[in-house]
Amino acid sequence: MSSNPVFSGGTDSQVTSQVDGPDNLHPIEANADAILFLNSLQQEELQLFLFSETLVMVSDSGEPQGELTIQVQKGSRVDEFGIFTHCLFVHAFSRGFINKTVCGNSLQGYLSWNMEILEQQSQEFIKLQSIPMEQKLNLVTKDDRLIITRRVKEGEDVKTERITKSCSSIAGFISEAANLVLLRVMAWRQMVPSNARFLALDTEGKLCHSTYQCLGSQTVEINHQQVEVFVVEQNIHSQVGIPSSCQFYLLSDGHLAKRIQVGSPACCMIFKMPNVREKDEIESPPVFGKKDLVWEEDAELYSKFIDRKEELRLSHSRYLGQHPEAKAIISDFLLFLLLSQPEDVVTFASEHFSPYSPFEMPLTSWTSKHRLSLFCLPVSSWKEA
């Protein structure tokens, strides 16, 4: 998409160009609450709102007059230097009748993941029988400046106006494309930054304040189904044009159920309930209190114990079968122990097994019943003994 579109048709009767505009004497700025809200946006959250929706335009009597389609998806934009930027792409268009007058508009916008405008083109027209009216608005960010080009055509009369703003002076600016995404965020969070004052463009293409207000929750009927919606009102506080208000009735996942332009004879609403995304409930990790382990009552642990016990029994039996001398030595010791029944069993055992030691001379078990055993002495005294 070209950063500097060329508008065809008609002859410009008036062309004006301003740098930072006449409001530079009294600059209009977004407040801290608006900046804080925009800074809270995360790419992971915004990716929840990549879907399209279609609403039907109906008159006061309920007759269909047209339709409105809004689509938000991932996109990529190529600047004049051929550099690709991954971003959000917003496309919205409508066509219908108001009081039997053909009207319509279209919008294409590229947004960064923190809602800064990269480029946007919008067009709206009203086909009056006397004088057809058409307005084209182009926004493009270039060299840290926002260039706003507005072209209005009434019959054969064409007027073009261009305003350049530094990006630093329009922090908190919400374009039409960004507004459609932010409404989905507010519905998902069930929260409106009511004290925030953003920047926006009014119907004359002039910079002004934009605010949001929560009107609470309401129950509406969609395709014979009662659904709760979150109502948000946006107000454009124009200083030179006509202030405007628009009410948005939003489902919990950001789908637009109804849109009312205050003062308009028509509204937009859905007639088919979409698949509403539910919020993922993050359960807190379970807390387990300290509990004494009674392994005998645990079938799995008890089964493992029996298996291990049998494994050891077989291993021991196998070893004793391979070393029959071990059984003979133990039997002899028990035999002599029960015959002698000494008061000092440890000393008796040391004397009994001393013949098997390779470091001492063979002794009989009756050599000395009062000989001091090495097991009864400190380790440091073994050599002396």
Side-chain angles (χ1 to χ4, degrees):
M1 185 178 297
S2 174
S3 299
N4 295 293
V6 178
F7 302 115
S8 60
T11 303
D12 288 350
S13 60
Q14 183 179 358
V15 179
T16 59
S17 180
Q18 300 172 350
V19 177
D20 282 341
D23 58 335
N24 197 34
L25 298 176
H26 303 283
I28 301 174
E29 298 178 344
N31 65 2
D33 291 329
I35 303 299
L36 183 63
F37 180 81
L38 293 177
N39 289 338
S40 72
L41 301 176
Q42 300 293 329
Q43 182 173 345
E44 293 78 8
E45 181 183 28
L46 295 177
Q47 288 178 347
L48 298 173
F49 314 121
L50 305 179
F51 56 81
S52 61
E53 55 190 346
T54 299
L55 293 84
V56 177
M57 299 171 58
V58 296
S59 63
D60 293 338
S61 60
E63 296 179 359
Q65 301 289 312
E67 67 178 22
L68 166 65
T69 299
I70 302 173
Q71 182 180 28
V72 180
Q73 63 185 34
K74 288 183 180 179
S76 59
R77 175 178 176 269
V78 185
D79 62 15
E80 59 183 337
F81 301 106
I83 299 176
F84 277 87
T85 302
H86 295 288
C87 56
L88 280 172
F89 176 66
V90 181
H91 182 208
F93 61 92
S94 67
R95 184 180 180 88
F97 298 87
I98 297 180
N99 295 331
K100 298 183 180 181
T101 301
V102 178
C103 63
N105 59 61
S106 65
L107 168 70
Q108 295 186 36
Y110 294 87
L111 303 169
S112 69
W113 290 103
N114 56 0
M115 293 297 103
E116 292 178 349
I117 184 68
L118 301 177
E119 184 175 359
Q120 176 181 296
Q121 290 186 3
S122 62
Q123 178 181 2
E124 58 180 312
F125 68 91
I126 301 177
K127 195 173 182 180
L128 298 173
Q129 294 182 353
S130 56
I131 303 178
M133 299 181 63
E134 181 182 37
Q135 174 179 273
K136 292 183 178 181
L137 184 67
N138 176 255
L139 310 178
V140 62
T141 300
K142 183 178 179 182
D143 298 331
D144 293 328
R145 305 190 73 81
L146 177 64
I147 303 173
I148 306 171
T149 304
R150 178 172 176 262
R151 179 178 182 271
V152 179
K153 180 181 179 182
E154 297 181 6
E156 297 299 324
D157 185 22
V158 179
K159 181 174 67 174
T160 301
E161 182 180 26
R162 177 170 295 172
I163 300 175
T164 302
K165 297 282 186 180
S166 64
C167 291
S168 59
S169 67
I170 57 168
F173 173 72
I174 302 299
S175 62
E176 291 181 77
N179 175 62
L180 296 175
V181 178
L182 288 184
L183 288 169
R184 296 181 176 186
V185 174
M186 295 175 193
W188 180 259
R189 295 183 179 182
Q190 294 288 291
M191 184 273 292
V192 173
S194 56
N195 296 323
R197 290 198 314 275
F198 299 91
L199 297 182
L201 295 179
D202 61 12
T203 55
E204 301 294 324
K206 305 297 183 182
L207 203 63
C208 64
H209 281 130
S210 172
T211 59
Y212 296 88
Q213 181 181 359
C214 175
L215 301 184
S217 299
Q218 295 184 17
T219 301
V220 298
E221 183 176 339
I222 302 175
N223 196 20
H224 307 292
Q225 181 179 352
Q226 299 295 321
V227 181
E228 186 172 323
V229 295
F230 186 67
V231 187
V232 179
E233 182 178 74
Q234 182 194 23
N235 295 286
I236 304 295
H237 305 276
S238 176
Q239 294 182 329
V240 294
I242 301 175
S244 61
S245 297
C246 192
Q247 296 175 358
F248 302 89
Y249 296 70
L250 301 148
L251 299 177
S252 59
D253 68 341
H255 277 91
L256 184 59
K258 189 176 182 180
R259 176 184 180 274
I260 298 177
Q261 181 74 41
V262 178
S264 174
C267 70
C268 299
M269 58 192 307
I270 58 174
F271 282 92
K272 182 180 180 181
M273 185 67 183
N275 295 324
V276 178
R277 177 197 294 267
E278 299 292 339
K279 288 189 177 181
D280 297 330
E281 294 184 1
I282 303 177
E283 298 182 358
S284 57
V287 178
F288 299 99
K290 186 177 181 180
K291 183 179 179 181
D292 295 334
L293 177 63
V294 184
W295 62 268
E296 296 93 338
E297 298 178 0
D298 189 298
E300 184 178 357
L301 288 179
Y302 186 74
S303 176
K304 289 183 178 181
F305 166 74
I306 295 299
D307 294 342
R308 179 58 177 163
K309 182 178 179 181
E310 181 65 16
E311 181 183 349
L312 290 175
R313 188 189 69 79
L314 294 175
S315 175
H316 295 166
S317 299
R318 188 181 308 110
Y319 179 81
L320 291 176
Q322 295 172 352
H323 301 278
E325 67 276 13
K327 274 189 175 183
I329 293 173
I330 294 173
S331 297
D332 287 347
F333 171 71
L334 290 175
L335 175 63
F336 288 116
L337 178 68
L338 294 176
L339 288 174
S340 302
Q341 296 184 3
E343 294 183 359
D344 189 353
V345 177
V346 174
T347 301
F348 179 83
S350 66
E351 292 179 350
H352 176 81
F353 288 107
S354 61
Y356 300 99
S357 172
F359 304 107
E360 295 189 19
M361 293 298 294
L363 296 174
T364 66
S365 300
W366 296 277
T367 301
S368 174
K369 291 186 179 180
H370 303 289
R371 181 182 176 184
L372 190 60
S373 171
L374 292 176
F375 296 102
C376 300
L377 294 176
V379 176
S380 59
S381 305
W382 284 7
K383 292 183 178 180
E384 298 178 2

